[in-house]
Amino acid sequence: MEPGGNRQTIRQQIVSLLSSDELTVRDLSQAVSITEKEVMNHLGHIETSVHSQGKKLFETPYKCLSCGFVFEKRTRFTKPGRCPECKNSHIQTARYLIKKCH
Ligand SMILES: [Zn+2]
C-alpha cells in the first residue's frame, strides 16, 4: 500500500462501499486503509458530491446504549464523547449508507 495514495480513488472506493453496505467510519478506515479522521473528511465531501448524482448520504445516528438518547443534530462526522442525558460513554457508532433519493 503506497503512502498518501490517490485521494480521488479512495473517495470513489468509499462511495462504492457505502452504496452496497451500511458501514461505520471504522469499517471504512479499515477497508480503504486510511485513518478515521480522513474518512470523516471524505464523508463531508462525499455528502456534497453524491447529491449532484441524485443520491444521498444517509446517517444512522450515534445512539446512547444506556438510555437510548439519539445524537440527531450532529453536523460533523466526529464521535460524541459521552451522552448528555446520562453521561454514559457507551455510544453506538453511527453508520452511513448511500442511496438514491426521490
Ligand atoms: Zn444516555
Side-chain angles (χ1 to χ4, degrees):
M1 199 57 75
E2 285 179 65
N6 191 320
R7 282 177 178 273
Q8 187 69 23
T9 303
I10 285 174
R11 199 168 292 172
Q12 285 169 347
Q13 281 176 30
I14 293 174
V15 169
S16 165
L17 287 164
L18 288 178
S19 297
S20 54
D21 264 315
E22 190 178 40
L23 297 167
T24 65
V25 167
R26 180 170 296 177
D27 292 334
L28 291 167
S29 80
Q30 289 170 352
V32 300
S33 302
I34 59 174
T35 66
E36 293 186 25
K37 198 173 172 184
E38 286 175 303
V39 171
M40 290 168 196
N41 182 39
H42 282 300
L43 285 176
H45 292 281
I46 286 168
E47 187 170 40
T48 311
S49 66
V50 296
H51 196 73
S52 63
Q53 299 161 24
K55 296 177 193 168
K56 195 173 185 295
L57 177 66
F58 288 90
E59 181 193 28
T60 300
Y62 289 93
K63 185 179 171 186
C64 174
L65 290 172
S66 179
C67 74
F69 177 83
V70 176
F71 296 77
E72 294 209 57
K73 299 224 171 137
R74 296 187 68 79
T75 53
R76 297 248 152 216
F77 297 98
T78 50
K79 197 176 192 172
R82 50 179 63 216
C83 177
E85 291 291 314
C86 70
K87 314 297 181 203
N88 198 294
S89 58
H90 228 74
I91 309 293
Q92 184 180 50
T93 310
R95 292 190 301 278
Y96 302 95
L97 181 69
I98 293 170
K99 282 197 294 191
K100 282 204 167 188
C101 56
H102 289 282

